[in-house]
Amino acid sequence: MSPQLTLQTPLELAPADVPTYLEQLWSPEQQGSTGTGANTFCLLIWQPAWAEQHLIRTGRLNGPITGQQSDQLVAAGQQAVIDADLPSGTPPLAEAVISAVAGWDGINPSEDLRGQYIDPALSALQPRRLITLAPMIEADHPLETLVAAYCPLPEEGGGTTACGDVVVLRGSQNALEEGLAILQPLLPARMPAWVWWNGSLDEAPDLLDQLAGTPRRLILDSAVGTPRQCLDLLRTRVQSGQAVNDLNWLRLSNWRETLAMVFDPPQRREALNHITQMEIDVESNHPAQGLLLAAWIADRLGWKLISSDSDDEAINARFTRGDGVEVRFQLMSVPVGQPSVHPGQMVGLRLICKPDSSPGVCVILCTESGGCMRLESGGMADLELHEEIVPVQNRTPEMDVARLLGGGHDTTNPLLASAAPLAASLLP
Amino acid sequence: MSAMLATVTNPLRVGLRQERVIAPQCLVIFGASGDLTHRKLVPALFELFRQRRLPSEFAVLGCARRPWSDEEFRGKMGDALAKRIEEDPQAWEQFVGKLFYEPVDLQQPDHVFRLGERLERIDEQCSTHGNRTFYLSVSPKFYAGGCRSLADAGLLKDPKRSRVVIEKPFGRDYGSAQALNRVVQTCGQENQIFRIDHYLGKETVQNIMVLRFANTIFEPIWNRNYISSVQITAAETVGVEERAGYYETSGALRDMVQNHLTQMLAITAMEPPGRFDPEAIRNEKAKVLQATRLADELEPWNCCIRGQYGPGGSNESPLSGYRKEPGVDPNSTTETYVAMKLFIDNWRWQGVPFYVRTGKRLAKRLSEVVLTFREAPVHLFDAAAGGPTANQLILRIQPDEGAEFRFEVKSPGSGMRSRPIDMEFSYDDSFGEPSDEGYVRLLADAMLSDPTLFTRSDEVEAAWRLYTPLLELIEDSPWQLPVHPYESRTWGPAAADALLARDGLLWRRP
């Protein structure tokens, strides 16, 4: 399915007029002309799309600016990694790429359709209101406020028309911050409101605080931003009781499922009580996902963290199991030929279990996108080996977000709630 | 985490069953004061809630004629689920707030109008998006009227946001099933109608499809060239218990064969669908049922045996016969056992007999599908059992869910004698966790608008049409299909053994 555009040209209004205009749009007198207002949810998106804006400005990508992760955008990012002479393992939309492209000349103009270019996975959910905050790279661009009614038309037809509206706040970051006052009345308390921070967790922390207070449900990506900030923010938000959804955690689901599968046969479960060593390899230099996986395993198995430190090559930690035996943990960043668009994706996991009265067990999980030769070496000849390949998930962030919105929860997944604080503690 | 806990349950598996997420909605249960609601439906919903498969924007509205309040309904459900609540009182505390109740008589238009208003209020209160699943857990005689009332009140007009689940039995025969289909299809589109058959909710029934179509080794031999016969058994050890009133009007043919066993047959015998898509699968099931016939339609007594359990057991714990059960006519000719032989007239199965049997008070509780393969063309070796045993693939539906494959191996020793051995797959050994109840799966699928595991109108009609010669015979000249008595806790009447003996076969004695 191709993305859908709003049916009418968005109307540019003065910011102060937006709430009144929308109130009138959904008033009972107007409903005949616009369909029924969907009684669903509101989604507020922080949509900086810095990489896309710069790549289009420098002529490395064709417009319009959509804020969506397309194959063309990823390919342009990959080319920029080469042109900027960045390390080959740099993810194509990483901060380093944005910084490099931002320094290049270019003034290619482009239409900005952020907020008006709606992924079908999202429109299928019939959101009542999509509010997009679209900061622009021009530092002095004044605030523009666009409004449009929007009725998703399923390609297969059928269904009654349950409409929503889109609101776009566009301008420099300062201008956007000045326009925030209109947001509160646009997010009615009777409907669940989600905030999707589709940018780095390092940027605009004050803005994030203003936008994503409870009871709004927060969607973030702990792979985007410095690891310390990502994991601390995740921990803080989870511990505050807010419903937090982490796309980086969601992308771990195949790893969690595959590892659980290894220990499904009851005769293998005893080995879980005898793990002495856990090693994780991740792509590039971002350990958040690997630490979340390690934290989930440690939490599920009742391990206590004793210490954690790091050197140039690895993060090393020690846990104690329930029976007091020590478990050593190591996380390493390893080079990969074609890095994922998401920084720090899992490459491999090795668990070594040494029961007292039976042969040891070594479990290795490897991503299907690359090998895990480091984990497959290192004297495991006397261990019973279980090796599994973990399928790569090829879903766009929009699809993941739609998945979260489609089955919304007003609390954080308990597994993430337990793992996030421990993952933050694991990062020295 | 103690060592004990780790070996009982897989700690890494906890919380991972979140495959598909149900969209915000309100589930409306008609017949909410009945047994099914507190025995199966609400426990299944609570289980889904514990697995975090229900969204926070979710509500259950119980409806029945009794003038209960929300609180009374919640209290009654709490009493019924007391044991489960003990395991997770915190989850129940969160879940119970999602239960509501509205006194509704579906035959009263003003009640249904009031129901519509209540649903709108629930939409406001719980943000359930006007998305509704209506579950008709009422007497079958109210199915048609119930659907009509919902349609008349405009509650089914959005095919994407409203659906109706209808319990079995769907009709009493071909004619009544057709008539009911005509009514429900005027109330909504076919993809809004979910005809439930809880056997299809069983993991092991679904596994037949996975086994056949996810592996390359089975499908090439899954046909008349390699398979000589198929047996499908659903045996119960219990008697009629408290269901005499219903059972007297249905019997084993209507209660088990027309739905559960026929669905197992369809899944076992269907052609591979082009894709895993509800309509593609249901097309294939319907096609195979349309090609199925009684082995002797003109003289059905040659291919069908009816039985009725008599007394049995021991002196210490005697078991009474069917006619002595409370609520049963002392001269009842209702069958508690049916065995029959069917053929499927298509390229895949031409000439392969399908033997189907079900009964109450049989020797063991089990459901299984047994595929017996043709013998090797030349016998090179002596066999321990005289002749080589035919290869068999046994798909165990319940209990001890799994599969086994029986084949010949060399018996240890200096000679070259062969003997059969069993290669086993057991759900317990491989997964070590109990499967969800069928209703958990089916309720979730209905709320997901996934009809794959529900029977479509043409499937239901084809299944009824298949047994029409038998039903007519039982109606018009029952003496031609007598009920053979059999001792309780045995494998049924001798006449059923004779049915297979005529083909030189035996029922499998599991």
Side-chain angles (χ1 to χ4, degrees):
Chain A
M1 283 194 294
S2 53
Q4 301 184 6
L5 287 159
T6 50
L7 290 177
Q8 64 180 114
T9 308
L11 187 65
E12 187 166 352
L13 296 173
D17 297 339
V18 172
T20 319
Y21 174 81
L22 290 174
E23 210 169 289
Q24 284 173 353
L25 184 68
W26 299 115
S27 67
E29 303 81 61
Q30 290 288 323
Q31 291 227 343
S33 59
T34 52
T36 313
N39 185 23
T40 50
F41 62 90
C42 300
L43 175 62
L44 175 61
I45 309 173
W46 169 250
Q47 186 73 283
W50 300 124
E52 188 183 17
Q53 289 193 69
H54 282 298
L55 287 165
I56 290 174
R57 177 185 62 77
T58 54
R60 294 168 167 272
L61 178 67
N62 294 326
I65 302 165
T66 65
Q68 298 192 330
Q69 187 188 294
S70 63
D71 292 344
Q72 293 83 350
L73 173 64
V74 174
Q78 285 165 339
Q79 188 57 46
V81 170
I82 297 166
D83 296 348
D85 208 16
L86 292 167
S88 62
T90 308
L93 304 178
E95 291 287 320
V97 180
I98 297 171
S99 302
V101 184
W104 293 340
D105 292 335
I107 49 164
N108 278 12
S110 174
E111 199 178 0
D112 189 344
L113 291 181
R114 279 178 288 172
Q116 303 163 51
Y117 207 73
I118 301 158
D119 190 277
L122 294 177
S123 66
L125 300 169
Q126 300 189 329
R128 170 58 179 270
R129 183 158 293 155
L130 286 172
I131 304 172
T132 303
L133 300 184
M136 301 173 77
I137 49 181
E138 293 89 351
D140 51 357
H141 202 287
L143 180 65
E144 295 170 5
T145 320
L146 309 170
V147 180
Y150 165 65
C151 296
L153 295 175
E155 286 182 354
E156 66 275 24
T160 54
T161 315
C163 297
D165 50 57
V166 297
V167 180
V168 181
L169 275 66
R170 196 162 64 192
S172 68
Q173 192 162 320
N174 287 341
L176 286 182
E177 286 177 13
E178 284 164 21
L180 291 185
I182 68 162
L183 289 182
Q184 193 60 36
L186 296 182
L187 296 166
R190 66 187 168 81
M191 261 183 247
W194 299 70
V195 175
W196 175 18
W197 190 264
N198 191 12
S200 166
L201 294 175
D202 293 337
E203 66 186 349
D206 293 341
L207 186 63
L208 175 59
D209 283 343
Q210 287 181 65
L211 296 179
T214 44
R216 290 180 195 157
R217 304 167 190 189
L218 177 60
I219 300 171
L220 49 77
D221 189 336
S222 66
V224 187
T226 51
R228 180 81 271 159
Q229 172 66 8
C230 289
L231 290 174
D232 282 351
L233 184 82
L234 190 59
R235 167 167 60 185
T236 312
R237 293 282 174 165
V238 164
Q239 287 180 335
S240 76
Q242 185 172 24
V244 182
N245 299 275
D246 179 11
L247 300 179
N248 204 23
W249 166 262
L250 202 63
R251 291 192 293 270
L252 267 178
S253 52
N254 279 351
W255 286 84
R256 291 185 285 129
E257 175 59 38
T258 308
L259 187 60
M261 194 175 78
V262 170
F263 292 100
D264 274 335
Q267 68 274 17
R268 287 196 194 156
R269 287 188 200 158
E270 183 58 18
L272 283 171
N273 294 319
H274 301 281
I275 295 174
T276 55
Q277 204 173 320
M278 171 165 69
E279 286 149 286
I280 285 177
D281 284 355
V282 296
E283 287 181 11
S284 64
N285 207 13
H286 202 296
Q289 191 180 66
L291 293 179
L292 281 168
L293 184 70
W296 167 69
I297 294 169
D299 173 66
R300 294 310 311 154
L301 300 181
W303 300 346
K304 301 279 176 256
L305 179 64
I306 306 171
S307 67
S308 175
D309 57 56
S310 64
D311 53 35
D312 289 345
E313 290 191 330
I315 293 172
N316 297 290
R318 291 184 303 130
F319 293 95
T320 46
R321 299 191 318 225
D323 57 4
V325 174
E326 186 174 304
V327 181
R328 285 183 295 125
F329 166 61
Q330 184 178 65
L331 181 142
M332 284 189 79
S333 295
V334 293
V336 290
Q338 190 165 16
S340 160
V341 71
H342 309 293
Q345 295 302 284
M346 285 288 303
V347 172
L349 163 75
R350 179 166 74 175
L351 293 177
I352 292 182
C353 319
K354 291 190 171 159
D356 303 329
S357 54
S358 53
V361 175
C362 174
V363 174
I364 296 180
L365 306 189
C366 260
T367 176
E368 69 178 353
S369 64
C372 43
M373 289 164 65
R374 192 187 78 85
L375 297 177
E376 285 170 333
S377 60
M380 299 169 312
D382 58 340
L383 302 176
E384 184 188 328
L385 180 65
H386 298 293
E387 198 160 4
E388 297 285 343
I389 301 298
V390 181
V392 171
Q393 284 181 354
N394 288 317
R395 293 198 302 259
T396 63
E398 288 79 14
M399 288 157 83
D400 278 340
V401 168
R403 192 175 150 86
L404 293 170
L405 295 170
H409 286 286
D410 54 3
T411 54
T412 303
N413 178 310
L415 299 178
L416 174 61
S418 303
L422 185 51
S425 304
L426 273 169
L427 187 67
Chain B
M1 180 74 50
S2 69
M4 185 64 187
L5 181 61
T7 50
V8 169
T9 184
N10 178 358
L12 301 178
R13 172 61 60 196
V14 175
L16 294 192
R17 287 185 182 177
Q18 296 170 39
E19 311 90 1
R20 294 177 300 165
V21 188
I22 294 162
Q25 65 185 283
C26 180
L27 175 72
V28 185
I29 303 174
F30 296 103
S33 57
D35 264 10
L36 189 73
T37 303
H38 67 75
R39 279 198 309 113
K40 298 286 184 189
L41 302 181
V42 174
L45 290 166
F46 185 44
E47 184 55 32
L48 286 168
F49 179 78
R50 289 176 59 181
Q51 293 177 13
R52 281 178 66 84
R53 293 194 58 203
L54 295 180
S56 51
E57 291 77 38
F58 183 78
V60 179
L61 179 63
C63 297
R65 278 182 281 196
R66 296 189 192 185
W68 290 345
S69 64
D70 290 345
E71 283 312 316
E72 278 175 289
F73 180 55
R74 289 169 185 174
K76 287 183 193 302
M77 294 305 114
D79 293 344
L81 271 77
K83 246 186 175 168
R84 288 177 196 230
I85 295 169
E86 262 176 37
E87 292 166 18
D88 198 347
Q90 208 182 340
W92 177 256
E93 213 169 283
Q94 294 162 357
F95 176 74
V96 77
K98 298 176 184 300
L99 301 182
F100 302 90
Y101 184 85
E102 181 72 25
V104 173
D105 178 348
L106 269 174
Q107 292 171 301
Q108 306 283 337
D110 58 319
H111 283 212
V112 184
F113 180 75
R114 204 178 58 219
L115 168 67
E117 290 180 328
R118 180 76 198 269
L119 285 170
E120 279 177 22
R121 288 202 299 281
I122 287 176
D123 280 342
E124 286 286 314
Q125 195 178 338
C126 304
S127 291
T128 42
H129 303 191
N131 189 9
R132 291 144 193 175
T133 300
F134 299 98
Y135 198 114
L136 294 180
S137 172
V138 294
S139 164
K141 65 185 175 197
F142 296 123
Y143 291 164
C147 284
R148 267 200 213 102
S149 299
L150 292 172
D152 291 347
L155 294 171
L156 302 179
K157 70 179 177 196
D158 185 344
K160 290 202 178 304
R161 290 180 175 263
S162 57
R163 51 208 78 78
V164 182
V165 183
I166 301 177
E167 265 292 334
K168 73 156 198 178
F170 196 89
R172 272 190 59 74
D173 50 29
Y174 181 46
S176 60
Q178 271 186 314
L180 185 53
N181 270 332
R182 275 197 295 273
V183 172
V184 297
Q185 283 169 340
T186 59
C187 299
Q189 297 177 7
E190 177 62 31
N191 62 11
Q192 286 176 275
I193 313 297
F194 292 75
R195 298 169 192 82
I196 208 162
D197 184 325
H198 69 257
Y199 249 61
L200 292 178
K202 292 182 187 298
E203 292 277 6
T204 36
V205 174
Q206 296 155 32
N207 186 48
I208 296 175
M209 278 193 280
V210 177
L211 188 96
R212 288 187 59 193
F213 305 135
N215 300 295
T216 52
I217 57 166
F218 295 114
E219 208 44 31
I221 56 170
W222 206 271
N223 55 48
R224 64 191 300 276
N225 298 326
Y226 293 91
I227 291 175
S228 61
S229 69
V230 179
Q231 291 183 19
I232 300 176
T233 299
E236 297 175 276
T237 50
V238 294
V240 71
E241 299 190 307
E242 289 94 33
R243 297 171 68 221
Y246 160 75
Y247 205 81
E248 274 285 273
T249 62
S250 72
L253 188 55
R254 287 188 171 93
D255 186 47
M256 292 291 289
V257 178
Q258 181 275 336
N259 37 58
H260 305 326
L261 270 77
T262 306
Q263 285 296 322
M264 283 205 279
L265 179 141
I267 287 177
T268 305
M270 68 195 261
E271 294 296 316
R275 57 190 183 281
F276 191 71
D277 165 90
E279 292 321 308
I281 290 167
R282 300 199 298 178
N283 285 344
E284 297 305 337
K285 279 166 62 192
K287 272 159 59 181
V288 79
L289 290 179
Q290 284 156 3
T292 307
R293 63 172 173 86
L294 295 174
D296 189 343
E297 285 184 311
L298 295 177
E299 296 179 341
W301 52 87
N302 288 330
C303 66
C304 176
I305 302 297
R306 297 165 75 217
Q308 188 185 73
Y309 66 81
S314 59
N315 287 340
E316 292 77 38
S317 48
L319 296 165
S320 55
Y322 178 72
R323 293 178 185 182
K324 293 276 172 61
E325 299 277 22
V328 172
D329 178 350
N331 299 312
S332 173
T333 55
T334 301
E335 77 279 355
T336 62
Y337 177 97
V338 183
M340 65 180 74
K341 178 179 170 184
L342 302 162
F343 282 119
I344 299 174
D345 289 333
N346 63 15
W347 278 62
R348 183 184 288 265
W349 295 115
Q350 187 64 45
V352 178
F354 280 70
Y355 301 100
V356 169
R357 66 174 165 168
T358 183
K360 288 190 175 295
R361 283 275 175 82
L362 297 185
K364 274 187 185 174
R365 172 181 168 262
L366 73 95
S367 295
E368 65 178 21
V369 177
V370 182
L371 297 111
T372 303
F373 292 84
R374 295 192 185 282
E375 284 184 14
V378 179
H379 299 163
L380 295 178
F381 312 107
D382 289 340
T389 310
N391 299 154
Q392 282 188 324
L393 179 63
I394 297 140
L395 309 174
R396 295 192 303 263
I397 308 300
Q398 66 179 20
D400 190 18
E401 292 85 347
E404 64 188 74
F405 186 53
R406 171 165 282 211
F407 57 97
E408 294 280 300
V409 297
K410 179 183 173 300
S411 198
S414 59
M416 287 298 279
R417 283 164 72 89
S418 71
R419 54 156 286 190
I421 54 103
D422 295 328
M423 189 161 71
E424 284 229 5
F425 151 67
S426 153
Y427 265 80
D428 277 351
D429 289 348
S430 298
F431 301 114
E433 302 278 338
S435 313
D436 284 335
E437 269 257 334
Y439 275 99
V440 173
R441 172 65 194 258
L442 294 173
L443 263 175
D445 279 7
M447 292 189 286
L448 283 158
S449 285
D450 179 352
T452 310
L453 300 177
F454 295 83
T455 41
R456 205 171 55 187
S457 58
D458 49 352
E459 283 180 73
V460 174
E461 289 178 18
W464 278 119
R465 192 165 46 207
L466 171 57
Y467 303 110
T468 297
L470 290 179
L471 292 167
E472 284 174 352
L473 194 66
I474 293 168
E475 190 72 28
D476 300 338
S477 40
W479 62 89
Q480 290 189 295
L481 265 183
V483 283
H484 298 273
Y486 61 95
E487 186 183 330
S488 278
R489 293 292 176 88
T490 64
W491 279 110
D497 289 341
L499 177 71
L500 266 71
R502 287 202 288 272
D503 296 338
L505 298 171
L506 291 168
W507 289 107
R508 192 176 107 87
R509 293 284 196 265

